[in-house]
Amino acid sequence: MASRSYTEQTIKQLFGSAAGRCAFSSCRRKLIYPATEQSSTTIVGDIAHIVAFSSEGPRANSAVSDKDRNSFENLLLLCAACHRLVDGQPADYPDEVLRAMKKEHLDWVDRNLENEMSDIKFPELEVVCSRLISSELADSTALHSLPPRDKINLNDLGPSSAKKITMGLMQAPLVAEYLQSMVTHVDPDFPPRLIAGFRHEYDRHRSTGIKGDGLFLLMESFAAGTAADFERHAAGLAVLAHLFQVCDIFETAS
């Protein structure tokens, strides 16, 4: 019998794309509570299936393979109460309603990120970058701008990823200014250490065969961290988009 289990990448994609919140539009409760001095990070959300995991479950469809049932596309992040509701009343929440709910929630996340993007400043970038830097230096420290559209096409990124990159690049001058200030006043190796942190995460996922939008979503989740905080998420996306543009994170033309 198939196992109700999910890959690390699928879980990160799900929580990251949903901004760690319940996808039910009348709820949208935060589902991740950051660690405190006394306690570890606590997750109170449920991973719900759009098409049921089991052949007897709500919205069951025997034509869907076990692998596809546990895929990101078939999963929805909900709080426990909303999960119980959609599974308890499947006639009111068929699969097409849940798919529409997921799309609407992802669009809502994008709108909130865009709203927050214009408000991020050095303090938000500092919180994000201090968590991402590596103790090692990137092999190549030279930063060379590449046309974003060419790089998007080369990496098979679709409209959703392209939209996120465009959104993040709104703050590219601020990110560049922040990195230069770190070089001047704090650590001359700060940019290559930051690049090394991103490159290590990129190579780790790329080695498993993930690419395209799935890989970009994993990198976005890595940049944003676990907090269901749009301000921090926007700052992480700005850093990721800047590095996508100016260095060899993601594939570049040879």
Side-chain angles (χ1 to χ4, degrees):
M1 182 176 178
S3 171
R4 189 189 294 263
S5 60
Y6 320 99
T7 66
E8 173 199 359
Q9 289 90 347
T10 297
I11 293 172
K12 287 184 174 180
Q13 288 173 331
L14 184 63
F15 276 83
S17 64
R21 293 171 184 261
C22 176
F24 212 96
S25 61
S26 60
C27 178
R28 289 184 172 142
R29 173 188 176 186
K30 287 186 177 182
L31 303 177
I32 303 173
Y33 291 84
T36 66
E37 292 183 1
Q38 295 80 27
S39 306
S40 59
T41 298
T42 299
I43 297 174
V44 297
D46 283 0
I47 297 177
H49 286 77
I50 296 174
V51 171
F53 171 75
S54 69
S55 57
E56 293 82 26
R59 300 171 300 277
N61 184 344
S62 60
V64 178
S65 69
D66 292 338
K67 180 180 178 181
D68 287 342
R69 292 179 195 183
N70 282 337
S71 69
F72 168 75
E73 290 74 17
N74 190 52
L75 300 176
L76 188 65
L77 188 62
L78 297 172
C79 70
C82 291
H83 188 185
R84 186 171 181 178
L85 173 62
V86 301
D87 280 1
Q89 299 182 341
D92 294 314
Y93 298 99
D95 58 350
E96 61 268 22
V97 168
L98 296 191
R99 293 188 194 283
M101 181 187 296
K102 181 173 182 176
K103 181 182 184 307
E104 198 280 329
H105 182 67
L106 298 185
D107 290 342
W108 177 81
V109 170
D110 282 356
R111 291 194 300 272
N112 277 273
L113 285 176
E114 192 166 10
N115 289 339
E116 290 290 341
M117 189 63 69
S118 61
D119 293 333
I120 62 173
K121 301 290 186 293
F122 275 19
E124 291 78 34
L125 294 176
E126 182 177 7
V127 169
V128 167
C129 290
S130 63
R131 181 177 53 80
L132 301 175
I133 60 173
S134 170
S135 59
E136 302 176 352
L137 301 181
D139 294 336
S140 173
T141 58
L143 304 184
H144 302 289
S145 293
L146 295 173
R149 175 52 56 186
D150 291 347
K151 199 168 183 182
I152 286 169
N153 292 337
L154 183 64
N155 285 274
D156 295 323
L157 299 181
S160 62
S161 298
K163 180 180 178 181
K164 293 284 186 70
I165 292 168
T166 300
M167 190 189 306
L169 288 176
M170 292 168 53
Q171 288 289 21
L174 179 70
V175 176
E177 183 183 352
Y178 170 75
L179 294 179
Q180 185 56 53
S181 73
M182 293 299 292
V183 169
T184 304
H185 302 294
V186 180
D187 178 4
D189 291 326
F190 191 85
R193 290 174 62 205
L194 181 64
I195 293 168
F198 270 92
R199 187 176 296 159
H200 178 268
E201 186 74 0
Y202 175 87
D203 289 344
R204 187 169 73 88
H205 291 304
R206 188 70 182 87
S207 67
T208 68
I210 294 177
K211 58 183 180 179
D213 291 327
L215 181 55
F216 184 84
L217 187 52
L218 285 169
M219 296 305 297
E220 181 188 346
S221 178
F222 171 68
T226 57
D229 178 333
F230 284 114
E231 190 176 64
R232 189 176 302 180
H233 194 155
L237 181 59
V239 173
L240 174 60
H242 175 71
L243 295 184
F244 178 89
Q245 180 182 34
V246 302
C247 69
D248 57 352
I249 295 173
F250 291 87
E251 303 304 309
T252 57
S254 57

